Amino acid sequence: IIGAGPAGMQMAYYLKKNALDYIVLERNDIGQSFFSKFPIHRRLISINKKYNLFPEEEFNLRHDWNSLLSDEQDKLSMTDYCDELYPEADVYAQYLADYATHNALNIRYNSNVTKIGKDENGNFDIKLGTGEKYKANILLLATGALRQNMPEEIEGIELTIPYEDVEHNKEKYRNKRIAIIGGGNSALETANSLSDTTIFVHLFVKRKIQLSHETHFVGHTRAKYTNIFDMFHLKSLHGVLNPRIRKITKLPNGNLQTQHEYDYPDSKIPGTLKLTREYDYIINCSGFKYTHLYVFDEDIQPEMVMNNKFYALTDTWESVNIKNLYCIGTLMQAIDRKSASGFIHGYRYNVRTLSKILLEKYENTPYPFESVSVNPFKDFLNKLYTRFSIGDGIYQLFSFLGDKLVYHPESSCVDWYKEMPVNYITKNLDQNLHTFVLTLDFGFHHYPNKSSLDFMRPSDPNDTEKAAFLHPIVRHYYKGKMDEFHFGDSLLGRWDMVHADGGAIASYHAEFYNWMSTILGLEEVELTEIGENPDYEIWGKGHHN
């Protein structure tokens, strides 16, 4: 494993747990070096929510976005390190150091990998800056963000201050005019931090800013950084602009001048408006790149995607063109730009899943599953509802990871495989077997002309196929056909308790029973009003919506 950040540590934990021969090579003298520097303004955007009403460990991990996984979760949770919803980065760095020490992970520090090749047997040759060499059958890149993105189309971009060099001491920017290039979280984090001491901050964005509460993608702009939008639209000199920056020039007085332009194709006189503006400092927050081809020999350079930002990966995170090379951590978002694969609370589950895939592929250890009887049907449904209600991996990686249930009518049992990549499941289906795929997903795509803020009540319980908020979906595959059933949404993300009075919000459950029992070849349950039916005990007592 190259890199001892959260992903490298998480994979090392699972490899050690399974008694595999591994080593983690880390170029710095500490494993959590990224969080010793980033984010520059020292507050994480991953939440640290301690109090969640329910006792289940899995459920509470849904709201703990920073802890790594282990069999001793009660001893190694970030929620024990601080109470703040958004922790300080230094506190998280300490948590990661403690995780590595507690688990005695095999990390070699001050080991900078300078060259990667392959020998005649297909094994990796890994050379360190010291001249030392390692050989590996399987190589996992956990290298994270490697370098600042420098927009090549902007002449003079080298005159800007890269995000990684922004001084945390804001005195440098006091009473100054600041421009920031970028529209992501690092750009808005910087704008938010500097806006109280500067003359003005102008945010230059390349395209429309996407807000995470609208897209439900955690990597888009987070609401905690959107104060600059208020200041812009409430007329306080700060601004958010989307010009095309052509050139940055240093003037004789030391100021920086931008040459930028706006297109007006729908104007009465279509054309381009060209402007200049002076700033004391321009900060480049246009993101990072996660690839470093220079470290690979020319004959094993991995293919890349997204303007060379990420490596191109298969559905199991293997390089599409370099056999036995896998990418873990934030690199996993190359195949998931919808849920949370780019963040710790997402990729910790991807890493756990990949460790099982590696064991199956290279160690002849089958992917684990549980054999579950569908009789009594009530007990099977209870297990299904419980999984949707407390499962953490399928919750964080909605639509991307799912559970696979393969039904065997002769034994009335299902083989239940947890947290597999959905694309991997569907591409490898045995069409002669009844297969169910369980996921959680949003449904806001049914309402393209509405803001997510228009939804402040449960979706229509009589039309659950158009449920907007996160909700369970069960898909059934057989003989080349697919059918699916959507649950209603839930304020607390629990489906193992219904309203005691039954009624409309619970009405779809009877439909689900009959849908599922028909596929399984069981007698129909014939439930109509949940609140009046003795089978209500399936969920226990309680309320939710």
Side-chain angles (χ1 to χ4, degrees), residues 256-324:
L256 299 178
Q257 182 187 71
T258 61
Q259 297 179 27
H260 53 278
E261 54 194 40
Y262 302 86
D263 293 330
Y264 293 87
D266 300 320
S267 173
K268 291 180 179 178
I269 305 177
T272 299
L273 176 65
K274 298 183 179 182
L275 299 172
T276 62
R277 190 174 294 279
E278 287 189 27
Y279 297 94
D280 294 289
Y281 299 104
I282 301 176
I283 301 172
N284 173 26
C285 295
S286 55
F288 292 92
K289 289 200 172 182
Y290 300 82
T291 56
H292 55 350
L293 290 188
Y294 62 85
V295 80
F296 291 94
D297 284 348
E298 289 187 6
D299 59 338
I300 64 160
Q301 291 192 344
E303 291 183 17
M304 298 180 292
V305 292
M306 294 176 60
N307 194 28
N308 298 332
K309 186 174 183 177
F310 295 106
Y311 298 111
L313 305 178
T314 69
D315 294 325
T316 54
W317 304 285
E318 187 176 13
S319 166
V320 297
N321 67 310
I322 306 300
K323 187 179 180 182
N324 301 331

Coordinates of all heavy atoms in Angstrom, one line a residue, residues 256-324:
L256 N -1.9 42.8 -9.0 CA -2.2 41.8 -10.0 C -3.4 42.3 -10.8 O -4.4 42.7 -10.2 CB -2.4 40.4 -9.5 CG -1.2 39.8 -8.7 CD1 -1.5 38.5 -8.2 CD2 0.0 39.7 -9.6
Q257 N -3.4 42.2 -12.1 CA -4.5 42.6 -12.9 C -5.0 41.4 -13.7 O -4.3 40.6 -14.3 CB -4.1 43.6 -13.9 CG -5.3 44.1 -14.8 CD -4.8 45.1 -15.9 OE1 -4.1 44.7 -16.8 NE2 -5.1 46.4 -15.7
T258 N -6.3 41.2 -13.6 CA -7.0 40.1 -14.4 C -7.5 40.7 -15.7 O -8.0 41.8 -15.7 CB -8.1 39.4 -13.6 OG1 -9.1 40.4 -13.3 CG2 -7.6 38.8 -12.3
Q259 N -7.4 39.9 -16.7 CA -8.1 40.2 -18.0 C -9.1 39.1 -18.1 O -8.7 37.9 -18.3 CB -7.1 40.2 -19.1 CG -6.0 41.3 -19.0 CD -5.0 41.3 -20.2 OE1 -5.4 40.9 -21.3 NE2 -3.8 41.8 -19.9
H260 N -10.3 39.4 -18.1 CA -11.4 38.4 -18.1 C -12.5 38.9 -19.0 O -12.6 40.1 -19.3 CB -11.9 38.1 -16.7 CG -12.3 39.2 -15.9 ND1 -11.4 40.0 -15.2 CD2 -13.5 39.7 -15.6 CE1 -12.1 41.0 -14.5 NE2 -13.4 40.8 -14.8
E261 N -13.4 38.0 -19.3 CA -14.5 38.3 -20.3 C -15.7 37.5 -20.0 O -15.7 36.4 -19.4 CB -14.0 38.1 -21.7 CG -13.4 36.7 -22.0 CD -12.6 36.6 -23.3 OE1 -11.9 37.6 -23.6 OE2 -12.8 35.6 -24.0
Y262 N -16.8 38.1 -20.4 CA -18.1 37.4 -20.3 C -18.8 37.4 -21.7 O -18.7 38.4 -22.4 CB -19.1 38.2 -19.4 CG -18.5 38.4 -18.0 CD1 -17.7 39.5 -17.6 CD2 -18.9 37.6 -16.9 CE1 -17.2 39.7 -16.3 CE2 -18.5 37.7 -15.6 CZ -17.7 38.8 -15.3 OH -17.2 39.0 -14.1
D263 N -19.4 36.3 -22.0 CA -20.1 36.2 -23.3 C -21.6 36.6 -23.1 O -22.2 36.2 -22.1 CB -20.0 34.8 -23.9 CG -18.6 34.4 -24.3 OD1 -17.9 35.4 -24.7 OD2 -18.3 33.3 -24.2
Y264 N -22.2 37.3 -24.1 CA -23.6 37.6 -24.1 C -24.3 37.2 -25.4 O -24.6 38.0 -26.3 CB -23.8 39.1 -23.9 CG -23.4 39.6 -22.5 CD1 -22.1 39.9 -22.2 CD2 -24.3 39.6 -21.4 CE1 -21.7 40.3 -20.9 CE2 -23.9 40.0 -20.2 CZ -22.6 40.4 -19.9 OH -22.2 40.7 -18.7
P265 N -24.4 35.9 -25.6 CA -24.9 35.4 -26.9 C -26.4 35.8 -27.2 O -26.8 35.8 -28.3 CB -24.8 33.9 -26.8 CG -24.8 33.6 -25.3 CD -24.1 34.8 -24.7
D266 N -27.2 36.1 -26.1 CA -28.6 36.4 -26.3 C -28.9 37.9 -26.2 O -30.0 38.3 -26.1 CB -29.4 35.7 -25.2 CG -29.2 34.2 -25.3 OD1 -29.2 33.7 -26.4 OD2 -29.1 33.5 -24.2
S267 N -27.8 38.7 -26.2 CA -28.0 40.2 -26.2 C -28.6 40.7 -27.5 O -28.5 40.0 -28.5 CB -26.6 40.8 -25.9 OG -26.7 42.2 -26.0
K268 N -29.1 41.9 -27.4 CA -29.6 42.5 -28.7 C -28.5 42.7 -29.7 O -28.7 42.6 -30.9 CB -30.2 43.9 -28.3 CG -31.5 43.9 -27.6 CD -32.0 45.3 -27.3 CE -33.3 45.2 -26.6 NZ -33.8 46.6 -26.3
I269 N -27.3 42.9 -29.1 CA -26.1 42.9 -29.9 C -25.1 41.8 -29.4 O -24.3 42.1 -28.5 CB -25.4 44.3 -29.9 CG1 -26.4 45.3 -30.3 CG2 -24.1 44.2 -30.9 CD1 -25.8 46.7 -30.3
P270 N -25.2 40.6 -29.8 CA -24.4 39.5 -29.2 C -22.9 39.8 -29.3 O -22.5 40.4 -30.3 CB -24.8 38.3 -30.0 CG -26.1 38.6 -30.6 CD -26.1 40.1 -30.9
G271 N -22.2 39.4 -28.2 CA -20.8 39.7 -28.2 C -20.2 39.3 -26.9 O -20.8 38.6 -26.1
T272 N -19.0 39.8 -26.7 CA -18.2 39.5 -25.5 C -17.7 40.7 -24.8 O -17.2 41.7 -25.5 CB -16.9 38.6 -25.9 OG1 -17.4 37.4 -26.5 CG2 -16.1 38.3 -24.7
L273 N -18.0 40.8 -23.5 CA -17.5 42.0 -22.7 C -16.2 41.7 -22.1 O -16.0 40.7 -21.4 CB -18.6 42.2 -21.6 CG -18.2 43.3 -20.6 CD1 -18.2 44.7 -21.3 CD2 -19.2 43.4 -19.5
K274 N -15.2 42.5 -22.4 CA -13.8 42.3 -21.9 C -13.5 43.3 -20.8 O -13.7 44.5 -21.0 CB -12.8 42.4 -23.0 CG -13.0 41.3 -24.1 CD -12.0 41.3 -25.2 CE -12.2 40.2 -26.2 NZ -11.1 40.2 -27.2
L275 N -13.0 42.8 -19.7 CA -12.8 43.7 -18.5 C -11.4 43.4 -17.9 O -10.9 42.3 -18.1 CB -13.9 43.5 -17.4 CG -15.3 43.8 -17.8 CD1 -16.3 43.4 -16.7 CD2 -15.5 45.3 -18.1
T276 N -11.0 44.4 -17.1 CA -9.8 44.2 -16.2 C -10.2 44.6 -14.8 O -11.0 45.4 -14.6 CB -8.6 45.0 -16.7 OG1 -8.9 46.4 -16.7 CG2 -8.2 44.6 -18.1
R277 N -9.5 44.0 -13.9 CA -9.7 44.4 -12.5 C -8.4 44.2 -11.7 O -7.7 43.2 -12.0 CB -10.8 43.7 -11.8 CG -11.2 44.2 -10.5 CD -12.5 43.5 -9.9 NE -13.7 43.8 -10.7 CZ -14.4 44.9 -10.6 NH1 -14.0 45.9 -9.8 NH2 -15.4 45.1 -11.4
E278 N -8.1 45.0 -10.7 CA -6.9 44.9 -10.0 C -7.1 44.3 -8.6 O -8.2 44.6 -8.0 CB -6.2 46.3 -9.7 CG -5.5 46.8 -11.0 CD -4.7 48.1 -10.7 OE1 -4.3 48.3 -9.5 OE2 -4.6 48.9 -11.6
Y279 N -6.2 43.5 -8.1 CA -6.3 42.8 -6.8 C -4.9 42.9 -6.2 O -3.8 42.9 -6.9 CB -6.7 41.3 -7.0 CG -8.1 41.2 -7.5 CD1 -8.3 41.0 -8.9 CD2 -9.2 41.3 -6.7 CE1 -9.6 40.9 -9.4 CE2 -10.5 41.2 -7.2 CZ -10.7 41.0 -8.6 OH -12.0 40.9 -9.1
D280 N -4.9 42.8 -4.9 CA -3.6 42.7 -4.1 C -3.1 41.3 -4.2 O -1.9 41.1 -4.3 CB -3.8 43.2 -2.7 CG -4.2 44.6 -2.6 OD1 -3.3 45.5 -2.9 OD2 -5.3 44.9 -2.3
Y281 N -4.0 40.3 -4.1 CA -3.6 38.9 -4.1 C -4.7 38.1 -4.9 O -5.9 38.4 -4.8 CB -3.5 38.3 -2.7 CG -2.4 38.9 -1.9 CD1 -2.8 39.8 -0.8 CD2 -1.1 38.6 -2.1 CE1 -1.8 40.4 0.0 CE2 -0.1 39.2 -1.3 CZ -0.5 40.1 -0.3 OH 0.5 40.7 0.5
I282 N -4.2 37.1 -5.6 CA -5.1 36.2 -6.3 C -4.8 34.8 -5.8 O -3.6 34.4 -5.9 CB -5.0 36.3 -7.8 CG1 -5.4 37.7 -8.3 CG2 -6.0 35.2 -8.5 CD1 -5.2 37.9 -9.8
I283 N -5.7 34.1 -5.3 CA -5.5 32.7 -4.7 C -6.1 31.7 -5.6 O -7.3 31.8 -6.1 CB -6.1 32.7 -3.3 CG1 -5.5 33.7 -2.4 CG2 -5.9 31.3 -2.7 CD1 -6.2 33.8 -1.1
N284 N -5.3 30.7 -6.0 CA -5.8 29.6 -6.8 C -6.3 28.5 -6.0 O -5.6 27.7 -5.3 CB -4.6 29.1 -7.7 CG -5.0 27.9 -8.5 OD1 -6.2 27.7 -8.8 ND2 -4.0 27.1 -8.9
C285 N -7.6 28.3 -6.0 CA -8.3 27.2 -5.3 C -9.1 26.3 -6.3 O -10.2 26.0 -6.1 CB -9.2 27.7 -4.2 SG -8.4 28.6 -2.9
S286 N -8.4 26.0 -7.4 CA -9.1 25.3 -8.4 C -9.0 23.7 -8.3 O -9.2 23.0 -9.2 CB -8.6 25.7 -9.8 OG -7.2 25.6 -9.9
G287 N -8.7 23.3 -7.1 CA -8.7 21.9 -6.8 C -7.4 21.2 -6.9 O -6.3 21.8 -7.1
F288 N -7.4 19.9 -6.8 CA -6.2 19.0 -6.8 C -6.3 18.0 -8.0 O -7.4 17.8 -8.5 CB -6.1 18.3 -5.5 CG -5.8 19.1 -4.3 CD1 -6.8 19.6 -3.5 CD2 -4.5 19.4 -4.0 CE1 -6.6 20.4 -2.4 CE2 -4.2 20.2 -2.9 CZ -5.3 20.7 -2.1
K289 N -5.2 17.5 -8.3 CA -5.1 16.3 -9.1 C -4.6 15.1 -8.3 O -3.8 15.3 -7.4 CB -4.2 16.5 -10.4 CG -4.9 17.5 -11.3 CD -4.3 17.4 -12.7 CE -5.1 18.3 -13.7 NZ -4.6 18.2 -15.1
Y290 N -5.1 13.9 -8.7 CA -4.8 12.7 -7.9 C -4.0 11.7 -8.6 O -3.8 10.6 -8.1 CB -6.2 12.1 -7.5 CG -7.0 13.1 -6.7 CD1 -7.8 14.0 -7.3 CD2 -7.0 13.0 -5.3 CE1 -8.6 14.9 -6.6 CE2 -7.8 13.9 -4.5 CZ -8.6 14.9 -5.2 OH -9.3 15.7 -4.5
T291 N -3.4 12.1 -9.7 CA -2.6 11.2 -10.5 C -1.1 11.6 -10.5 O -0.8 12.8 -10.4 CB -3.1 11.1 -12.0 OG1 -3.1 12.4 -12.5 CG2 -4.5 10.5 -12.0
H292 N -0.2 10.7 -10.7 CA 1.2 11.0 -10.8 C 1.9 10.0 -11.7 O 2.6 9.1 -11.2 CB 1.9 11.1 -9.4 CG 1.7 9.8 -8.5 ND1 0.9 8.8 -8.9 CD2 2.3 9.4 -7.4 CE1 1.0 7.8 -7.9 NE2 1.8 8.2 -7.0
L293 N 1.7 10.2 -13.0 CA 2.2 9.2 -14.0 C 3.8 9.1 -13.9 O 4.3 8.1 -14.3 CB 1.8 9.6 -15.4 CG 0.3 9.4 -15.6 CD1 0.0 9.6 -17.1 CD2 -0.2 8.0 -15.2
Y294 N 4.4 10.2 -13.5 CA 5.9 10.2 -13.6 C 6.5 9.1 -12.7 O 7.7 8.7 -12.9 CB 6.4 11.6 -13.1 CG 6.1 11.9 -11.7 CD1 6.9 11.5 -10.6 CD2 4.9 12.7 -11.4 CE1 6.5 11.8 -9.3 CE2 4.6 13.0 -10.1 CZ 5.4 12.5 -9.0 OH 5.1 12.8 -7.8
V295 N 5.8 8.6 -11.8 CA 6.3 7.6 -10.9 C 6.2 6.2 -11.5 O 6.9 5.3 -11.1 CB 5.6 7.6 -9.5 CG1 4.3 6.9 -9.6 CG2 6.4 7.0 -8.4
F296 N 5.4 6.0 -12.6 CA 5.3 4.7 -13.2 C 6.2 4.6 -14.4 O 6.4 5.6 -15.2 CB 3.9 4.5 -13.7 CG 2.9 4.3 -12.6 CD1 2.1 5.4 -12.1 CD2 2.6 3.1 -12.1 CE1 1.2 5.3 -11.1 CE2 1.7 2.9 -11.1 CZ 1.0 4.0 -10.6
D297 N 6.8 3.4 -14.7 CA 7.5 3.2 -15.9 C 6.6 3.4 -17.1 O 5.4 3.2 -17.0 CB 8.1 1.7 -15.9 CG 9.3 1.6 -15.1 OD1 9.9 2.6 -14.6 OD2 9.7 0.4 -14.8
E298 N 7.1 3.8 -18.2 CA 6.3 4.1 -19.4 C 5.4 3.0 -19.8 O 4.3 3.2 -20.3 CB 7.2 4.6 -20.5 CG 7.8 5.9 -20.3 CD 8.6 6.4 -21.6 OE1 8.4 5.7 -22.6 OE2 9.2 7.4 -21.5
D299 N 5.8 1.7 -19.6 CA 5.0 0.6 -20.1 C 3.9 0.2 -19.2 O 3.1 -0.7 -19.5 CB 5.9 -0.6 -20.4 CG 6.7 -1.1 -19.2 OD1 6.9 -0.3 -18.3 OD2 7.1 -2.2 -19.2
I300 N 3.8 0.8 -18.0 CA 2.7 0.5 -17.1 C 2.0 1.7 -16.6 O 1.5 1.7 -15.4 CB 3.2 -0.4 -15.9 CG1 4.1 0.3 -15.0 CG2 3.7 -1.7 -16.4 CD1 4.2 -0.3 -13.6
Q301 N 1.9 2.7 -17.4 CA 1.2 4.0 -16.9 C -0.3 3.8 -17.0 O -0.8 3.4 -18.0 CB 1.7 5.1 -17.8 CG 3.1 5.5 -17.5 CD 3.5 6.9 -18.1 OE1 2.7 7.4 -19.0 NE2 4.6 7.4 -17.7
P302 N -1.0 4.0 -15.9 CA -2.4 3.8 -15.9 C -3.2 4.8 -16.7 O -2.8 5.9 -16.8 CB -2.8 3.9 -14.4 CG -1.5 3.9 -13.6 CD -0.4 4.4 -14.6
E303 N -4.3 4.3 -17.3 CA -5.1 5.3 -18.0 C -5.8 6.2 -17.0 O -6.0 5.9 -15.8 CB -6.2 4.5 -18.8 CG -5.7 3.7 -20.0 CD -6.8 3.0 -20.8 OE1 -8.0 3.4 -20.6 OE2 -6.5 2.1 -21.5
M304 N -6.2 7.4 -17.5 CA -6.8 8.4 -16.6 C -8.1 8.9 -17.2 O -8.4 8.7 -18.4 CB -5.8 9.6 -16.5 CG -4.5 9.2 -15.8 SD -3.3 10.6 -15.6 CE -2.9 11.0 -17.3
V305 N -8.9 9.5 -16.4 CA -10.2 10.1 -16.8 C -10.4 11.5 -16.1 O -9.5 11.9 -15.3 CB -11.3 9.2 -16.3 CG1 -11.3 7.8 -17.0 CG2 -11.3 8.9 -14.8
M306 N -11.4 12.1 -16.5 CA -11.8 13.4 -16.0 C -10.6 14.4 -16.1 O -10.1 15.0 -15.1 CB -12.3 13.3 -14.5 CG -13.6 12.5 -14.4 SD -14.0 12.3 -12.6 CE -14.2 14.0 -12.1
N307 N -10.2 14.6 -17.3 CA -9.1 15.6 -17.6 C -7.9 15.2 -16.8 O -7.2 16.1 -16.3 CB -9.6 17.0 -17.3 CG -8.6 18.1 -17.8 OD1 -8.0 17.8 -18.9 ND2 -8.5 19.2 -17.2
N308 N -7.6 13.9 -16.8 CA -6.4 13.4 -16.1 C -6.4 13.6 -14.6 O -5.3 13.6 -14.0 CB -5.1 13.9 -16.7 CG -5.0 13.6 -18.2 OD1 -5.5 12.5 -18.6 ND2 -4.3 14.4 -18.9
K309 N -7.5 13.8 -14.0 CA -7.6 14.1 -12.6 C -7.6 12.8 -11.8 O -7.0 12.7 -10.7 CB -8.9 14.8 -12.3 CG -9.1 15.2 -10.8 CD -10.3 16.1 -10.6 CE -10.4 16.6 -9.2 NZ -11.6 17.5 -9.0
F310 N -8.2 11.7 -12.3 CA -8.2 10.4 -11.6 C -7.8 9.3 -12.6 O -7.8 9.4 -13.8 CB -9.7 10.1 -11.1 CG -10.2 11.0 -10.1 CD1 -11.1 12.0 -10.4 CD2 -9.8 11.0 -8.8 CE1 -11.6 12.9 -9.5 CE2 -10.2 11.8 -7.8 CZ -11.2 12.8 -8.2
Y311 N -7.4 8.2 -11.9 CA -7.1 7.0 -12.7 C -8.4 6.3 -13.1 O -9.4 6.3 -12.4 CB -6.3 6.0 -11.9 CG -5.0 6.5 -11.4 CD1 -4.7 6.8 -10.1 CD2 -3.9 6.7 -12.4 CE1 -3.5 7.3 -9.7 CE2 -2.7 7.2 -12.0 CZ -2.5 7.5 -10.6 OH -1.3 8.0 -10.2
A312 N -8.4 5.7 -14.3 CA -9.6 5.0 -14.8 C -9.7 3.6 -14.1 O -8.7 2.9 -14.1 CB -9.5 4.8 -16.3
L313 N -10.8 3.3 -13.6 CA -11.0 2.1 -12.7 C -12.1 1.2 -13.2 O -13.1 1.7 -13.8 CB -11.2 2.5 -11.3 CG -10.2 3.5 -10.6 CD1 -10.7 3.8 -9.2 CD2 -8.8 2.9 -10.6
T314 N -12.0 0.0 -12.9 CA -13.1 -1.0 -13.1 C -14.1 -0.9 -12.0 O -13.9 -0.1 -11.0 CB -12.6 -2.4 -13.1 OG1 -12.1 -2.8 -11.8 CG2 -11.4 -2.6 -14.1
D315 N -15.2 -1.7 -12.0 CA -16.2 -1.7 -11.0 C -15.7 -2.2 -9.6 O -16.3 -2.0 -8.6 CB -17.4 -2.5 -11.4 CG -18.1 -1.9 -12.6 OD1 -18.2 -0.7 -12.7 OD2 -18.6 -2.7 -13.4
T316 N -14.5 -2.8 -9.6 CA -13.9 -3.2 -8.3 C -12.6 -2.4 -8.1 O -11.7 -2.9 -7.4 CB -13.6 -4.7 -8.4 OG1 -12.8 -5.0 -9.5 CG2 -14.9 -5.5 -8.4
W317 N -12.5 -1.2 -8.6 CA -11.4 -0.3 -8.3 C -10.0 -0.7 -8.8 O -9.0 -0.1 -8.3 CB -11.4 0.0 -6.8 CG -12.7 0.5 -6.2 CD1 -13.2 1.8 -6.4 CD2 -13.6 -0.2 -5.4 NE1 -14.5 1.8 -5.7 CE2 -14.7 0.6 -5.1 CE3 -13.6 -1.5 -4.9 CZ2 -15.8 0.2 -4.4 CZ3 -14.7 -2.0 -4.2 CH2 -15.8 -1.1 -3.9
E318 N -10.0 -1.6 -9.7 CA -8.7 -2.0 -10.3 C -8.5 -1.1 -11.5 O -9.4 -0.7 -12.2 CB -8.7 -3.4 -10.7 CG -7.4 -4.0 -11.2 CD -7.4 -5.5 -11.6 OE1 -8.6 -6.0 -11.6 OE2 -6.4 -6.1 -11.7
S319 N -7.2 -0.7 -11.8 CA -6.9 0.0 -13.0 C -7.4 -0.7 -14.2 O -7.3 -1.9 -14.3 CB -5.4 0.2 -13.1 OG -5.0 0.6 -14.4
V320 N -8.0 0.0 -15.2 CA -8.6 -0.6 -16.4 C -7.5 -1.2 -17.3 O -7.8 -2.1 -18.1 CB -9.5 0.4 -17.2 CG1 -10.6 0.9 -16.4 CG2 -8.6 1.5 -17.7
N321 N -6.3 -0.8 -17.1 CA -5.2 -1.3 -18.0 C -4.0 -1.9 -17.4 O -3.2 -2.5 -18.0 CB -4.8 -0.2 -19.0 CG -4.1 0.9 -18.4 OD1 -4.5 1.5 -17.4 ND2 -2.9 1.3 -18.9
I322 N -3.9 -1.7 -16.0 CA -2.7 -2.3 -15.3 C -3.2 -3.3 -14.3 O -3.8 -3.0 -13.3 CB -1.9 -1.2 -14.6 CG1 -1.5 -0.1 -15.6 CG2 -0.7 -1.8 -13.9 CD1 -0.6 -0.5 -16.7
K323 N -3.0 -4.6 -14.6 CA -3.5 -5.7 -13.8 C -2.9 -5.6 -12.4 O -1.7 -5.3 -12.2 CB -3.1 -7.0 -14.5 CG -3.7 -8.2 -13.8 CD -3.4 -9.5 -14.6 CE -4.0 -10.7 -13.9 NZ -3.6 -12.0 -14.6
N324 N -3.7 -5.9 -11.4 CA -3.3 -6.0 -10.0 C -3.0 -4.6 -9.4 O -2.4 -4.6 -8.3 CB -2.2 -7.0 -9.8 CG -2.5 -8.4 -10.3 OD1 -3.7 -8.7 -10.2 ND2 -1.5 -9.1 -10.7

